[in-house]
Amino acid sequence: MKTITITSENGETFSSISNFFIDYHMTQANGEFVKIYLYMVRLLEAGHSISIQDIADHFQCTQKDICRAIRYWVDRNILRLEYNQKNELLGITVMHLTPPEQPEEPDVNSGLNLLNRTESVSRIYPIVQTRQPRKPAPQVAEEPDNEIPVKKTYSPAQLNRLEKDQEMENILYQFEMYCGHTPTPAEYQTLLYIYEQLHFPAELLEYLIEYCASLEHTSNRYMEKVAIDWYSREIRTAEQAKQEMAAYHALNSAITKELGLSRVLTPTELRYINTWKNDYAFQQDIIIEACQRASADNKINFRYINGILTNWHESRVKNLEDIQRLDQQHAAQKKGSGRQTVQKTSPLSFHDFEQREYDNQELENFFIKEVQKMTE
């Protein structure tokens, strides 16, 4: 397969990661995408060509996974694809990064201590990518109920007015009690956004503060993300939030027990669980069924389980009966094709998500097709 070269804009070379990447891009990205970017920087320092297949082999994943990560960074103007006059891909450029025009105020809780806690605390709330606010159509006065309100900045006069609100005064007291300090201007703006624009009742906002403090994640960015996630899932009362958190922790415990894990779940594994529960809307029995099949196949890893559940999601599985129906269809197709393959026996075995083998030309065509989608 042909190789590609990785260069930097203006021929710049470096062996460290830009602080702009860490401050403004890393925290919002999927952890797997961050790893790919870091490896790109490492390859840039090495100064030699490499193929997408080589990168995929290094991370023990598929070429499609690598292309998806590259596309993510290209969309954010962090990587750039380079083509010749024949529209053939020549390489990837690592772009020069600059801070946003109006960067957020630095957060005292968003440094290395928070990163270390992320690895050691098992009750981390899953940070999910929520829907971005869409621009309202012309001459529409009100946003639809399912929109995420755009965060606005309050003027000093508005702040003075809100400080006299009795409920807001209680919320500020709750924040100081659980977080150990009076809110900074950025934290105050976040609390007002949640209270006034997301319309959280005082009881729900106070529980949000208590919940984040219990996880030792009291940064305004983290608190805002949890609030937006609750808002997008129509959690409107403290009781609903408590029930949701109890169900989430129960699911995590059931998964770790089924897989025989004695360690805490990693952020990447928590993101997988969040996808299965919220994006795929799978009930716990379906997720546990996938875990049991992974254990039966002696492949206890979340990527393998995610392959099973993604296949079921694309097949519109809603319950265990749907899974049995798919198994029967799969068995009938295998019998009809007359293929004689040797596989490990397991109850209700399902293997459609296994990777296929490609020859070199197919790999080349696949990559070209995927990366060209990035610029469409």
Side-chain angles (χ1 to χ4, degrees):
M1 179 179 178
K2 294 181 180 179
T3 60
I4 59 173
T5 58
I6 299 177
T7 60
S8 64
E9 195 171 34
N10 300 325
E12 180 186 9
T13 60
F14 49 88
S15 58
S16 59
I17 301 301
S18 167
N19 284 336
F20 296 148
F21 176 79
I22 296 173
D23 293 341
Y24 305 115
H25 301 288
M26 183 179 72
T27 56
Q28 302 294 330
N30 180 298
E32 300 300 319
F33 294 173
V34 172
K35 290 197 296 185
I36 299 302
Y37 175 80
L38 296 179
Y39 192 58
M40 290 287 183
V41 175
R42 175 67 185 89
L43 294 173
L44 168 65
E45 180 186 359
H48 59 74
S49 300
I50 193 170
S51 70
I52 295 300
Q53 181 61 51
D54 292 334
I55 300 175
D57 290 343
H58 178 80
F59 286 99
Q60 297 182 348
C61 63
T62 67
Q63 289 185 87
K64 191 171 184 179
D65 292 330
I66 303 301
C67 291
R68 188 180 298 112
I70 293 174
R71 180 173 184 172
Y72 176 87
W73 295 121
V74 168
D75 288 344
R76 284 151 183 79
N77 202 33
I78 293 176
L79 297 178
R80 183 178 67 208
L81 299 179
E82 304 294 348
Y83 294 91
N84 61 18
Q85 295 181 348
K86 297 181 180 180
N87 201 32
E88 296 172 337
L89 182 68
L90 296 179
I92 301 172
T93 294
V94 178
M95 302 294 288
H96 175 68
L97 301 182
T98 58
E101 294 181 1
Q102 295 180 340
E104 294 184 11
E105 183 171 327
D107 186 352
V108 296
N109 292 320
S110 62
L112 292 178
N113 289 338
L114 179 59
L115 295 179
N116 292 334
R117 290 171 186 160
T118 299
E119 292 297 333
S120 61
V121 179
S122 61
R123 297 185 301 157
I124 296 175
Y125 188 84
I127 298 299
V128 300
Q129 291 184 347
T130 57
R131 294 167 290 177
Q132 295 298 319
R134 295 173 292 180
K135 294 183 179 180
Q139 300 179 353
V140 175
E142 297 183 356
E143 295 177 329
D145 292 340
N146 62 347
E147 291 270 345
I148 304 300
V150 178
K151 186 177 182 180
K152 68 179 182 181
T153 301
Y154 291 84
S155 67
Q158 291 173 314
L159 294 177
N160 290 333
R161 174 180 60 82
L162 289 168
E163 283 179 352
K164 300 177 183 178
D165 183 279
Q166 183 62 49
E167 283 192 340
M168 195 65 208
E169 184 178 340
N170 294 336
I171 291 169
L172 295 176
Y173 174 78
Q174 186 90 344
F175 181 93
E176 185 171 352
M177 182 176 67
Y178 278 102
C179 301
H181 65 276
T182 57
T184 65
E187 290 169 337
Y188 193 18
Q189 294 279 351
T190 295
L191 291 173
L192 290 175
Y193 168 64
I194 298 171
Y195 179 63
E196 283 226 318
Q197 294 179 256
L198 298 185
H199 303 293
F200 272 35
E203 184 181 12
L204 177 58
L205 180 47
E206 289 173 1
Y207 176 70
L208 170 67
I209 296 170
E210 177 185 349
Y211 177 78
C212 293
S214 72
L215 302 181
E216 300 183 13
H217 287 286
T218 57
S219 73
N220 62 309
R221 295 189 186 94
Y222 184 86
M223 197 172 294
E224 182 178 321
K225 287 181 180 296
V226 176
I228 290 175
D229 182 59
W230 288 2
Y231 180 90
S232 67
R233 291 191 284 124
E234 299 184 352
I235 294 175
R236 299 293 184 263
T237 67
E239 187 60 32
Q240 287 177 322
K242 292 175 183 178
Q243 292 175 356
E244 182 72 15
M245 296 306 97
Y248 169 71
H249 296 312
L251 175 60
N252 285 2
S253 298
I255 291 173
T256 55
K257 180 179 179 181
E258 188 63 44
L259 299 179
L261 301 177
S262 58
R263 57 172 176 78
V264 298
L265 297 176
T266 67
T268 299
E269 292 168 341
L270 290 172
R271 279 191 291 271
Y272 275 128
I273 296 174
N274 183 74
T275 297
W276 306 336
K277 184 177 184 296
N278 296 324
D279 297 345
Y280 294 173
F282 281 149
Q283 296 298 316
Q284 180 171 315
D285 58 348
I286 293 179
I287 297 174
I288 295 303
E289 175 69 19
C291 293
Q292 291 174 346
R293 296 187 180 209
S295 297
D297 290 341
N298 198 27
K299 294 184 178 181
I300 304 177
N301 67 76
F302 278 71
R303 185 186 297 276
Y304 187 86
I305 297 169
N306 187 63
I308 300 175
L309 291 169
T310 299
N311 188 294
W312 289 348
H313 174 67
E314 292 173 350
S315 300
R316 302 181 183 277
V317 164
K318 301 298 182 184
N319 49 51
L320 294 178
E321 288 72 18
D322 290 339
I323 297 173
Q324 293 179 352
R325 173 179 51 78
L326 287 177
D327 288 338
Q328 293 169 357
Q329 292 175 356
H330 179 65
Q333 290 173 357
K334 286 183 61 178
K335 184 177 180 181
S337 65
R339 291 180 298 173
Q340 300 296 325
T341 57
V342 179
Q343 298 179 344
K344 296 180 180 179
T345 59
S346 60
L348 301 178
S349 185
F350 194 82
H351 298 279
D352 281 352
F353 57 89
E354 290 282 10
Q355 300 177 17
R356 57 165 292 189
E357 297 294 331
Y358 296 89
D359 59 31
N360 288 338
Q361 186 59 46
E362 285 179 311
L363 290 173
E364 181 72 16
N365 293 339
F366 172 79
F367 174 64
I368 291 174
K369 179 179 178 182
E370 287 295 316
V371 296
Q372 286 182 344
K373 290 179 182 177
M374 304 176 192
T375 58
E376 293 178 356

